[in-house]
Amino acid sequence: IYSSFWGGGAADQVNAVKIDSNGLLYVVGRTETSDLVATANAYSSTNLQSGTNAIFIMVLDTTKNFALDYLSYLGGTGENDPEAMDLDASGNIYIVGETVATDFPMVSTTSLQNTLPSTTDSVFVVEFNPALTSVLQLVYSTFLGGSLTNLANDVKVDQAGNIYLIGSTTSTDFPITDGAYSGILSGI
């Protein structure tokens, strides 16, 4: 059993944890603080808007008495709320949640939606690899949603790298794929 306090000078909340086969514990959550000490290889060492939720990504090495291996902020200026996370065998972290930040970091060449679709809540999907150099750690990112409220609840990634997301929406213009079970939103 291991137990510890961790956090900054404002509200911090852990939203998801996963452990890999090498004993690395991946922790994703949200924080309002700007005084978390990011590691030297962090994607971002600052909360862009202190007092508003930013995402934190932390990796602890359980084989080294839970030593801090990685800590970074992620998000834009506005609420950023991670909801779920999954890992693949290559050490990539898949994070889903909601944001209202128009400047949430995008990998524009591969994004499905690279502009915020809703002013209330839009889903974000991120593939992140803390083992890469800081600028390359954000492997993939996209917004997902329609013009009204869009929420993410969970994410899974299979061995082929396909990302599966579950959530909810009130957006009749939510992007759906050909052959979807239903092409019409009902039951609002």
Side-chain angles (χ1 to χ4, degrees), residues 15 19 25 39 50 71 79 86 88 98 140 146 162 167 179:
N15 291 48
I19 193 163
L25 180 66
T39 52
S50 184
L71 178 64
E79 292 289 325
D86 201 12
D88 69 16
E98 299 86 36
Y140 177 80
N162 297 306

Side-chain angles (χ1 to χ4, degrees), residues 176-177 179-186:
I176 57 168
T177 56
Y181 175 76
S182 177
I184 300 170
L185 177 68
S186 59

Side-chain angles (χ1 to χ4, degrees), residues 2 18-27 58-70:
Y2 178 82
K18 296 277 183 181
I19 193 163
D20 71 10
S21 60
N22 297 318
L24 294 177
L25 180 66
Y26 295 80
V27 182
M58 181 169 57
V59 181
L60 301 171
D61 190 339
T62 65
T63 67
K64 296 179 182 170
N65 200 29
F66 291 84
L68 180 63
D69 194 52
Y70 182 84

Side-chain angles (χ1 to χ4, degrees), residues 8 19 36 38 40 62 72 82 85 93 100 103 106 152-153 159-160 164 170:
I19 193 163
L36 298 179
T62 65
S72 180
M85 164 185 58
I93 307 167
V100 295
D103 59 346
M106 287 287 119
N153 296 102
Q159 291 178 345
Y164 300 89
T170 58

